[in-house]
Amino acid sequence: MPPNQPPPAAERNQTDESLRVEREVADQALGDEQSGIDELADAVITRARLRADQVLAAARAKSDRRTGQGAPGAGLPSATDIASARADEDRVVRKERAAADNAVSGERAEQSSLLSLERKMTDDDLSRERHRADAALAVRDEFLGIVSHDLRNMLNSIMLSATLIEEGAGREPAAQLVQHAQRIRRGGARMNRLVGDLIDVASIQAGALAVTCERTDAALVVAEAIETFQVQATGNGVSLQAELIAPLTECAFDPARILQVLSNLLSNALKFSARGGKVVVRAERRGAELTMTVADTGAGIPADKLEIIFERFLQLKGNDRRGLGLGLYISKCIVQGHGGRIWAESHLGAGSKFFFTLPQPPIEAAPSARGN
């Protein structure tokens, strides 16, 4: 963290204080505006009611004059009847006005309630986003710690082997020096793979993961993957086999990237398969798709983890130090970059199967023979 940059807690407090101040200003402005609107509305209603009362009073006065000018015995209502009718009318008017006032008060209270509800929803969304951000930061920090630890171990191993070669030059047998050199090579390969994964993740996040499709023999890619892991499988006492269903020669994909996917899947399969187990790589073309499968006889994956195992850094959540949790995530992005799908099927105690598909163009028909 740069020396002038505030720590996350201080930055969070600054954000909260800024949000509180902004809300106070917004609430004050909204309250003033709403108060002005309410006062204007009340004034309009008061003027309208006053005008209505004046019109009604004038109409009643006019009616009284006409009644007083009428001939005696003409059957006009008495003053008592008129007063009673007007009292009933006034009660109706007061009731209607009270109902209107209650409706206006209810609307204003509802608006205030909606504002409070919206504020609470905003706070809840902010809390959830902070929780996700905190979890992501915690995972990132743990990931960086593991990367630093692993890189340091690899470098220490390389430096130790180089020192042993230097000290044993001319004294140790050539076979011993070769073993030291092999350890340096393996350490360098592990570091190269780790750095490659980190570069791929950065490219994925930037939307710049390179995928270049070309006409490829899928059988050759599978064979290269098998050859790469055959020594490791033999050393672990695990059978590693390939099942190839022709035709596979006219497939279109990025061979380097798909080899990377197979390598990630095989690495996991061998990592979790016990001695005496079996790992099978299968490739076949099904209509407009090339389907590849890596099946193992390991312990299996819980059903509730089958969807999330392709997320970044998943292994960190399970405190699994056998990997950084990048392989399946990168594999998913590579397959999706081809326009394909990747998923897993598994039962605890019965092994796992990882499938991925790659869309394929139609196989071109061979040209027919022509006579001369």
Side-chain angles (χ1 to χ4, degrees):
M1 181 180 297
N4 295 329
Q5 182 175 344
E11 186 175 0
R12 169 79 47 89
N13 292 336
Q14 292 176 3
T15 302
D16 290 342
E17 180 62 20
S18 298
L19 180 61
R20 186 188 65 79
V21 171
E22 289 296 329
R23 280 185 170 176
E24 287 183 354
V25 172
D27 289 344
Q28 182 64 40
L30 181 61
D32 293 343
E33 181 180 358
Q34 188 62 44
S35 178
I37 293 174
D38 292 343
E39 291 177 359
L40 179 60
D42 291 340
V44 170
I45 292 173
T46 300
R47 286 196 299 271
R49 286 179 176 177
L50 179 60
R51 180 58 181 164
D53 290 340
Q54 291 172 348
V55 171
L56 179 60
R60 284 178 173 178
K62 185 176 181 180
S63 177
D64 290 342
R65 287 194 298 272
R66 288 179 178 177
T67 301
Q69 295 172 359
L76 295 174
S78 65
T80 302
D81 293 337
I82 292 174
S84 176
R86 288 178 178 176
D88 292 338
E89 292 172 357
D90 290 341
R91 281 194 296 271
V92 171
V93 170
R94 286 194 297 270
K95 184 177 179 180
E96 291 295 332
R97 286 181 175 178
D101 290 340
N102 290 334
V104 170
S105 298
E107 290 179 0
R108 291 175 179 174
E110 183 179 0
Q111 291 175 355
S112 177
S113 176
L114 289 175
L115 179 61
S116 298
L117 178 60
E118 184 177 358
R119 173 68 54 78
K120 183 179 183 304
M121 293 173 61
T122 300
D123 289 341
D124 291 342
D125 290 341
L126 179 61
S127 178
R128 284 192 293 270
E129 288 299 325
R130 282 184 168 175
H131 179 73
R132 282 194 287 266
D134 289 342
L137 285 174
V139 170
R140 183 203 64 182
D141 291 343
E142 188 173 358
F143 168 74
L144 292 176
I146 290 179
V147 169
S148 301
H149 178 271
D150 288 352
L151 284 174
R152 188 178 295 110
N153 285 344
M154 295 174 196
L155 283 172
N156 288 339
S157 176
I158 290 174
M159 293 173 65
L160 176 60
S161 297
T163 300
L164 292 175
I165 291 177
E166 184 180 11
E167 293 177 350
R171 298 197 307 269
E172 291 187 0
Q176 190 69 32
L177 297 178
V178 169
Q179 290 180 359
H180 298 327
Q182 289 174 342
R183 278 195 293 270
I184 292 176
R185 180 179 56 80
R186 288 194 297 269
R190 290 176 58 198
M191 291 180 65
N192 184 62
R193 180 172 180 178
L194 175 56
V195 172
D197 284 347
L198 296 176
I199 292 174
D200 283 340
V201 169
S203 299
I204 291 167
Q205 294 300 105
L209 182 69
V211 173
T212 305
C213 292
E214 59 185 66
R215 290 284 183 176
T216 306
D217 187 345
L220 295 179
V221 177
V222 173
E224 184 175 352
I226 294 291
E227 181 182 359
T228 301
F229 286 90
Q230 191 64 65
V231 173
Q232 179 182 345
T234 302
N236 293 350
V238 177
S239 171
L240 179 57
Q241 303 174 9
E243 294 181 0
L244 307 176
I245 311 300
L248 297 173
T249 55
E250 291 296 320
C251 295
F253 55 82
D254 187 326
R257 287 297 188 184
I258 296 306
L259 179 61
Q260 185 179 358
V261 173
L262 287 174
S263 296
N264 288 333
L265 297 181
L266 281 172
S267 177
N268 282 341
L270 293 174
K271 183 190 305 179
F272 295 105
S273 293
R275 183 170 294 274
K278 180 179 179 181
V279 174
V280 178
V281 181
R282 179 183 177 89
E284 62 178 317
R285 184 156 181 163
R286 300 176 181 175
E289 289 184 329
L290 171 66
T291 301
M292 292 193 179
T293 308
V294 176
D296 64 61
T297 56
I301 303 169
D304 61 341
K305 293 292 192 296
L306 289 177
E307 292 295 330
I308 64 173
I309 55 176
F310 296 98
E311 295 180 3
R312 279 188 307 168
F313 316 136
L314 176 74
Q315 290 182 345
L316 298 180
K317 300 175 184 178
N319 296 320
D320 187 345
R321 291 301 302 273
R322 288 176 293 181
L324 296 173
L326 295 177
L328 291 180
Y329 170 72
I330 294 173
S331 298
K332 179 188 73 172
C333 294
I334 291 174
V335 171
Q336 291 178 344
H338 282 78
R341 300 171 293 119
I342 186 168
W343 71 97
E345 297 176 1
S346 182
H347 298 282
L348 289 177
S352 304
K353 290 184 179 180
F354 284 81
F355 304 83
F356 66 91
T357 63
L358 305 173
Q360 297 297 310
I363 299 178
E364 297 180 1
S368 57
R370 295 183 179 180
N372 293 328

